[in-house]
Amino acid sequence: MIYHFVKVLIYVISICLTMYGLSCLNFDQYLKKNKVRQFYVLFIILSIGIGYLFASFILDFALLSLSGY
């Protein structure tokens, strides 16, 4: 039970960190006029995808460390 809570917490934190990290990049030069809403959808999808990969790496690394390999 506690493992699932920690797992969800790590996913949420990693997605938030990814959104924070991506926000420092200047995407203004790539935006078309009046396409801001589509950019935010792309930004959220990228954040979730990269955050998921980052969290999966952390969880797999922690699981390997705890198993002794």
Side-chain angles (χ1 to χ4, degrees), residues 38-57:
Q38 287 88 348
F39 167 72
Y40 283 127
V41 170
L42 177 65
F43 184 78
I44 291 171
I45 290 171
L46 283 175
S47 297
I48 291 171
I50 295 171
Y52 173 79
L53 291 173
F54 180 62
S56 296
F57 170 75

Side-chain angles (χ1 to χ4, degrees), residues 1-15:
M1 177 69 183
I2 192 82
Y3 173 73
H4 296 294
F5 178 72
V6 170
K7 188 175 178 180
V8 169
L9 186 66
I10 289 175
Y11 278 120
V12 169
I13 290 172
S14 66
I15 289 171

Side-chain angles (χ1 to χ4, degrees), residues 48-66:
I48 291 171
I50 295 171
Y52 173 79
L53 291 173
F54 180 62
S56 296
F57 170 75
I58 290 173
L59 290 170
D60 288 343
F61 187 76
L63 194 61
L64 281 174
S65 298
L66 293 175

